[in-house]
Amino acid sequence: MSLDRATMDERVPRDFETLRTTILERRESLPKRIAQIAAHALDNPDDIAFGTAASIAASAGVQPSTLIRFAQQLGFDGFTSLQQVFRERLRERNSSYDERLQALRAKAEGGAGHRAIFDGFVAAASTSLNDISRTLDEAHLEDAISLLAKAETIYVLAKRRSYPVASYIAYALGKLKIRNQLIESAAGLNAEMIGFATPADAVIAISFSPYAPATIEEARSISEQGVPIVAITDSSFSPLAQFAKVWFEVAEADFAGFRSLSATMALAMALTVGVGEKRRDTSRKRKA
Amino acid sequence: MSLDRATMDERVPRDFETLRTTILERRESLPKRIAQIAAHALDNPDDIAFGTAASIAASAGVQPSTLIRFAQQLGFDGFTSLQQVFRERLRERNSSYDERLQALRAKAEGGAGHRAIFDGFVAAASTSLNDISRTLDEAHLEDAISLLAKAETIYVLAKRRSYPVASYIAYALGKLKIRNQLIESAAGLNAEMIGFATPADAVIAISFSPYAPATIEEARSISEQGVPIVAITDSSFSPLAQFAKVWFEVAEADFAGFRSLSATMALAMALTVGVGEKRRDTSRKRKA
DNA sequence: TATGTATTGGAATTATTATTTCATATTCCC
DNA sequence: GGGAATATGAAATAATAATTCCAATACATA
């Protein structure tokens, strides 16, 4: 019996993802009790990693022997080797994203296919998110939101790599019915647009090294008009920082020459939604 | 003996951090072999979580009995209960992002300040990234990259919420010196622009529910011209899917009414850089 | 409905692993 | 330096857990 299986299906899933896929593929063709365990395993992977055959079987409502049959049906030689996969998963997940990123960079360098590139971008994004949620200064966030919430019009200023973030901010502000103006270069009328801004307005400016000269120039001129600036940039030496009332330092990990935007995006959205909330609160108080 | 200890030090560390602190406090006063294990335990917590008394003892260079004495010295009644703490730690750390996201949503609803909003967006982004790296179909990725790599010009089509992604793709393609055309609505000349596309070109189209009618319309007309389309969208029922040669289903988590873009971004970058690589490879082969 | 096949439950068996014990070594204090 | 207290190593033992086996049941097929 086990010989037959070995002949028919040589490859035993070594990693959790493969295992998961395999289980889902066979889902339909599995006997009732085995399917019951399969479902339980995918729903409670941690339990499989740490439990004993008896305890797992009990909490899945089957006999321990069924659990072993399940493992064998998947090509493992027993419950123990199946469990290894679930344990490995916890180890992996836990190994720091930085390490993973290193490994992925090397792999992609070595020309390991496009999946590796994709994984690299995912890892870069995750690293950036981890980083920012560790380093974000809550007081700065509050300050920035207060400042922006008071503005009549919020101007959004960003070029090149940062432009996607700016366009998302503009989209979100629009949906929240907050007056805003995205400063694009298409029509070449930036200088005039900026001219309309007054100290009652505010600016969100985003720029990373190498800083787009136009962004810096526009930030300077707008700050000279007395318009307060909230800046998102990548170091305290950034030329943007000197013009800003409040600024955030965001370190994005890069992969294959392109930096992630995920941390900047998360911050941008928090600012936007934060402003929306603050305005709601304020107008409610005014009515009362 | 054990009675004395129980009297002196009633509280047994239940969580990893307390345990860690306790160990570090006593570090000096521990016997040599016990200290050896203590160090090993703090350095390789995963090994303690998963190993057997014998295997851990071996890799720390001591006898199993010493490991048990170590556990008892800390107030546990044996190695097994010490191990529980190390296992609990892995469970905690791993408690799914989904759960965290739920908690954060509740917190933000309850008006728990702006930090909660920020954390929510970070969690939404992380969830989306986890999700996509589980579900991405590698074959689709390869197909899409092949298709795009052959194109003379890559057209990038997206509106509203998806537009930031499109603009980043356009930026990245530009840096990689890959001819591309972003279809914006600003000048109102989309129809004409689309008219230039031929079957030798290709399109990346991005749209999520509620689908921008303009995007769908443009996708239809461009596919009728025989231009192959790679679509990024959110379900198999998406109107985009029917026009596309290859399409990706990306499920983004949302927070406070705005969906994350991080998964879409990662996929977009993988496509872009993938195309860049593929072209380099192809031209190298041609020379040879 | 009868018959063969696949699935399941539960106890018996085997294996692995934690713990205890005891002899020996080391350390500390008088 | 002698003796008690403490620490360590190694093997024996106890506990726990995985696996196997077989009878009973469900299921499909003719």
Side-chain angles (χ1 to χ4, degrees), chain A:
Chain A
M1 213 176 22
S2 71
L3 270 176
D4 287 9
R5 181 161 47 254
T7 327
M8 289 191 297
D9 188 302
E10 286 274 312
R11 61 243 152 90
V12 176
R14 316 224 129 274
D15 64 288
F16 185 74
E17 276 316 312
T18 317
L19 178 58
R20 185 195 169 79
T21 318
T22 313
I23 292 175
L24 289 175
E25 269 169 14
R26 303 203 194 159
R27 188 205 278 275
E28 296 305 319
S29 68
L30 292 174
K32 193 170 63 167
R33 290 275 117 107
I34 307 265
Q36 197 171 324
I37 288 206
H40 182 83
L42 294 186
D43 285 350
N44 311 67
D46 290 11
D47 288 351
I48 310 287
F50 292 122
T52 67
S55 73
I56 296 164
S59 87
V62 301
Q63 291 291 324
S65 45
T66 309
L67 180 49
I68 285 156
R69 287 179 195 123
F70 169 61
Q72 289 173 339
Q73 199 140 118
L74 289 166
F76 297 95
D77 53 51
F79 163 70
T80 313
S81 21
L82 168 71
Q83 191 178 42
Q84 284 315 106
V85 174
F86 283 79
R87 293 188 163 183
E88 205 44 52
R89 162 170 164 279
L90 287 185
R91 280 190 133 99
E92 296 272 304
R93 266 226 210 169
N94 240 46
S95 75
S96 91
Y97 268 107
D98 276 342
E99 284 166 35
R100 275 184 57 195
L101 193 48
Q102 283 306 115
L104 285 167
R105 275 198 260 254
K107 204 169 162 194
E109 279 299 310
H114 298 120
R115 171 79 204 201
I117 295 177
F118 171 75
D119 287 339
F121 282 113
V122 170
S126 298
T127 308
S128 304
L129 287 167
N130 274 353
D131 242 55
I132 197 178
S133 64
R134 245 200 358 256
T135 59
L136 183 83
D137 183 330
E138 194 162 346
H140 283 180
L141 185 62
E142 297 301 331
D143 291 351
I145 290 175
S146 302
L147 193 158
L148 293 169
K150 280 187 299 218
E152 280 172 11
T153 299
I154 296 177
Y155 287 81
V156 186
L157 183 56
K159 301 273 143 73
R160 302 164 55 76
R161 194 171 81 77
S162 316
Y163 175 72
V165 182
S167 65
Y168 200 35
I169 294 178
Y171 165 78
L173 286 173
K175 282 203 85 170
L176 293 169
K177 307 233 160 52
I178 296 171
R179 186 156 55 175
N180 70 93
Q181 179 64 57
L182 181 58
I183 301 188
E184 305 187 74
S185 32
L189 292 171
N190 289 354
E192 287 79 351
M193 247 188 222
I194 288 170
F196 295 138
T198 75
D201 299 325
V203 180
I204 301 179
I206 309 169
S207 183
F208 296 98
S209 161
Y211 312 97
T215 308
I216 306 302
E217 203 31 67
E218 288 164 13
R220 178 203 310 282
S221 95
I222 207 163
S223 80
E224 278 167 4
Q225 290 169 230
V227 190
I229 297 180
V230 172
I232 302 179
T233 186
D234 57 358
S235 99
S236 28
F237 302 112
S238 158
L240 260 194
Q242 57 186 302
F243 304 127
K245 270 251 169 26
V246 185
W247 58 270
F248 296 93
E249 185 175 336
V250 177
E252 297 268 12
D254 75 291
F255 187 82
F258 292 94
R259 281 196 221 141
S260 158
L261 286 183
S262 51
T264 314
M265 279 284 184
L267 175 55
M269 291 317 295
L271 285 174
T272 309
V273 173
V275 169
E277 291 230 326
K278 186 128 200 164
R279 290 212 176 172
R280 264 214 328 263
D281 291 354
T282 314
S283 68
R284 207 180 301 144
K285 267 185 212 140
R286 244 181 238 144
K287 276 179 202 159

Side-chain angles (χ1 to χ4, degrees), chain B residues 147-148 151 198-204 222-223 226-230 243-245:
Chain B
L147 193 158
L148 292 169
T198 77
D201 299 325
V203 181
I204 301 179
I222 206 163
S223 81
V227 189
I229 296 181
V230 172
F243 304 127
K245 271 251 169 26

Side-chain angles (χ1 to χ4, degrees), chain B:
Chain B
M1 215 178 19
S2 70
L3 270 178
D4 287 8
R5 180 160 49 249
T7 327
M8 288 190 300
D9 188 301
E10 286 273 314
R11 61 240 152 93
V12 177
R14 314 225 129 274
D15 65 289
F16 186 75
E17 275 315 312
T18 317
L19 177 58
R20 186 195 169 78
T21 318
T22 313
I23 292 174
L24 289 175
E25 268 169 13
R26 304 205 194 158
R27 190 204 276 275
E28 295 306 320
S29 68
L30 292 173
K32 193 168 62 165
R33 290 274 118 108
I34 308 265
Q36 197 171 322
I37 289 206
H40 182 83
L42 293 186
D43 285 350
N44 310 66
D46 289 10
D47 287 353
I48 310 286
F50 292 120
T52 68
S55 73
I56 295 163
S59 87
V62 301
Q63 291 291 324
S65 45
T66 309
L67 181 50
I68 286 157
R69 289 181 193 121
F70 168 62
Q72 290 171 339
Q73 198 138 122
L74 288 165
F76 298 95
D77 54 48
F79 164 71
T80 311
S81 21
L82 169 70
Q83 192 176 41
Q84 286 313 109
V85 174
F86 283 79
R87 293 189 163 182
E88 206 44 53
R89 161 172 164 277
L90 284 185
R91 277 189 134 100
E92 298 273 304
R93 265 225 208 171
N94 257 55
S95 77
S96 89
Y97 267 105
D98 275 343
E99 284 166 34
R100 275 184 57 197
L101 193 48
Q102 282 307 115
L104 285 166
R105 274 198 261 255
K107 204 170 162 195
E109 278 301 310
H114 299 120
R115 170 79 204 201
I117 295 177
F118 171 75
D119 287 338
F121 282 113
V122 170
S126 297
T127 307
S128 305
L129 287 167
N130 274 353
D131 240 55
I132 197 178
S133 66
R134 231 190 26 239
T135 58
L136 183 83
D137 182 329
E138 194 162 347
H140 283 180
L141 185 62
E142 297 300 332
D143 291 351
I145 289 175
S146 302
L147 193 158
L148 292 169
K150 281 188 295 217
E152 281 172 12
T153 299
I154 296 177
Y155 288 81
V156 186
L157 182 56
K159 303 271 143 74
R160 301 166 55 76
R161 193 171 81 76
S162 316
Y163 175 73
V165 181
S167 66
Y168 198 37
I169 293 179
Y171 165 78
L173 286 173
K175 283 204 84 171
L176 293 169
K177 307 233 162 47
I178 295 170
R179 186 157 56 176
N180 71 92
Q181 179 64 58
L182 181 58
I183 302 188
E184 305 187 75
S185 32
L189 292 170
N190 289 355
E192 287 79 353
M193 248 188 220
I194 287 170
F196 295 138
T198 77
D201 299 325
V203 181
I204 301 179
I206 309 168
S207 183
F208 296 98
S209 161
Y211 312 99
T215 308
I216 305 303
E217 204 31 65
E218 287 164 13
R220 177 203 309 281
S221 95
I222 206 163
S223 81
E224 278 168 3
Q225 289 167 230
V227 189
I229 296 181
V230 172
I232 302 179
T233 185
D234 57 358
S235 99
S236 28
F237 302 113
S238 159
L240 260 194
Q242 54 185 304
F243 304 127
K245 271 251 169 26
V246 186
W247 59 270
F248 296 93
E249 184 176 338
V250 177
E252 298 268 11
D254 76 291
F255 187 80
F258 292 94
R259 279 195 223 144
S260 158
L261 286 182
S262 50
T264 314
M265 280 281 185
L267 175 56
M269 292 316 295
L271 285 174
T272 309
V273 172
V275 169
E277 291 229 327
K278 185 127 199 166
R279 291 213 174 171
R280 264 214 327 264
D281 290 355
T282 314
S283 67
R284 205 181 299 145
K285 267 184 211 143
R286 245 181 237 147
K287 274 179 202 159

